[in-house]
Amino acid sequence: MSKQLNKQILSPELPFEKVLELVQPMITSIFLKCHIYKDFEYYRHIAAIAVWEAWKKADPAKGLFSSYVYTTVRGEIMKELTKEKRFEMHFAPIDDELLNVYRIEEQGQQQGMSMWLENIMVPLKIEERKLLELFYLEGYSYAEIASELQLSIAAVKKRRLRLIIKLRQLLASKKER
């Protein structure tokens, strides 16, 4: 179906199931424009809810129904993508090696593990130790750490990445010995 034909057929007077069926190509187009290449079922669910909301609230006197559906669906998808991005910024996953170190400490092997951790921390600079402490022990976000260390968020992310690489190398060298 062409876009022109879809605009003529698509109307709020149609049953919801038919409207949802007709807007599937539009939803796919929105996914491509928003660079969504995974979790299709999840986003299709969000899009279906947005179509439902648009279908319920549609007013033919205010403009084309297809345009209203498009902006509603795209807005809901963008809102969800923003929420996911915000979540990623505040809750960065801990690498497996570091997580295992903390788990072992919590299981009662604190003394031996603390010594081992101290040996790993010795070659780290004071700024690197502070970054580790703020990020993993205190649970600060990138923005909070940037404010604390008077750096940009991008600089904090870059330093954290370098620190993780350095810790991996140190862990690998300690295991080889």
Side-chain angles (χ1 to χ4, degrees), residues 18 42 49 78 98 111 114:
K18 185 67 175 171
Y42 177 70
I49 293 170
M78 294 302 289
L98 198 54
Q111 261 185 345
S114 294

Side-chain angles (χ1 to χ4, degrees), residues 5-62:
L5 187 57
N6 270 344
K7 288 181 183 176
Q8 291 173 354
I9 293 175
L10 194 60
S11 76
E13 287 83 30
L14 291 173
F16 171 71
E17 292 78 16
K18 185 67 175 171
V19 171
L20 186 60
E21 179 185 325
L22 289 172
V23 298
Q24 289 305 314
M26 179 191 299
I27 292 171
T28 303
S29 170
I30 292 169
F31 286 0
L32 292 173
K33 289 178 183 174
C34 293
H35 304 289
I36 296 174
Y37 301 112
K38 61 181 181 176
D39 300 329
F40 290 112
E41 291 302 316
Y42 177 70
Y43 287 105
R44 285 223 181 261
H45 180 72
I46 290 171
I49 293 170
V51 171
W52 171 260
E53 291 295 324
W55 181 74
K56 282 186 355 186
K57 296 178 183 176
D59 184 4
K62 292 187 177 179

Side-chain angles (χ1 to χ4, degrees), residues 22-165:
L22 289 172
V23 298
Q24 289 305 314
M26 179 191 299
I27 292 171
T28 303
S29 170
I30 292 169
F31 286 0
L32 292 173
K33 289 178 183 174
C34 293
H35 304 289
I36 296 174
Y37 301 112
K38 61 181 181 176
D39 300 329
F40 290 112
E41 291 302 316
Y42 177 70
Y43 287 105
R44 285 223 181 261
H45 180 72
I46 290 171
I49 293 170
V51 171
W52 171 260
E53 291 295 324
W55 181 74
K56 282 186 355 186
K57 296 178 183 176
D59 184 4
K62 292 187 177 179
L64 286 174
F65 178 60
S66 59
S67 299
Y68 182 57
V69 170
Y70 182 87
T71 55
T72 304
V73 170
R74 188 170 188 282
E76 289 299 317
I77 299 260
M78 294 302 289
K79 199 183 313 180
E80 188 62 29
L81 288 171
T82 303
K83 279 197 281 188
E84 284 183 15
K85 188 69 173 172
R86 190 176 303 130
F87 180 82
E88 286 175 8
M89 285 182 64
H90 291 287
F91 301 101
I94 297 177
D95 295 310
D96 289 339
E97 293 93 348
L98 198 54
L99 187 59
N100 286 335
V101 168
Y102 291 133
R103 282 186 185 147
I104 291 170
E105 268 190 30
E106 290 175 359
Q107 293 172 352
Q109 301 174 359
Q110 288 180 349
Q111 261 185 345
M113 199 61 196
S114 294
M115 297 273 296
W116 183 77
L117 190 57
E118 279 298 317
N119 287 338
I120 291 290
M121 301 277 282
V122 168
L124 298 180
K125 298 175 186 172
I126 295 171
E127 296 85 19
E128 292 172 330
R129 290 181 187 184
K130 182 73 173 170
L131 182 64
L132 271 178
E133 179 185 326
L134 292 173
F135 199 80
Y136 293 108
L137 298 177
E138 300 295 327
Y140 281 28
S141 68
Y142 286 117
E144 292 168 331
I145 294 171
S147 174
E148 179 81 20
L149 300 178
Q150 297 178 346
L151 299 169
S152 67
I153 293 174
V156 171
K157 288 180 180 182
K158 187 68 171 178
R159 287 182 184 195
R160 178 183 166 268
L161 180 64
R162 284 188 200 139
L163 182 57
I164 288 171
I165 292 168

Side-chain angles (χ1 to χ4, degrees), residues 154-177:
V156 171
K157 288 180 180 182
K158 187 68 171 178
R159 287 182 184 195
R160 178 183 166 268
L161 180 64
R162 284 188 200 139
L163 182 57
I164 288 171
I165 292 168
K166 187 175 185 177
L167 284 172
R168 283 183 183 155
Q169 291 169 346
L170 287 170
L171 287 170
S173 69
K174 295 283 183 186
K175 287 180 183 178
E176 291 174 1
R177 292 180 188 170

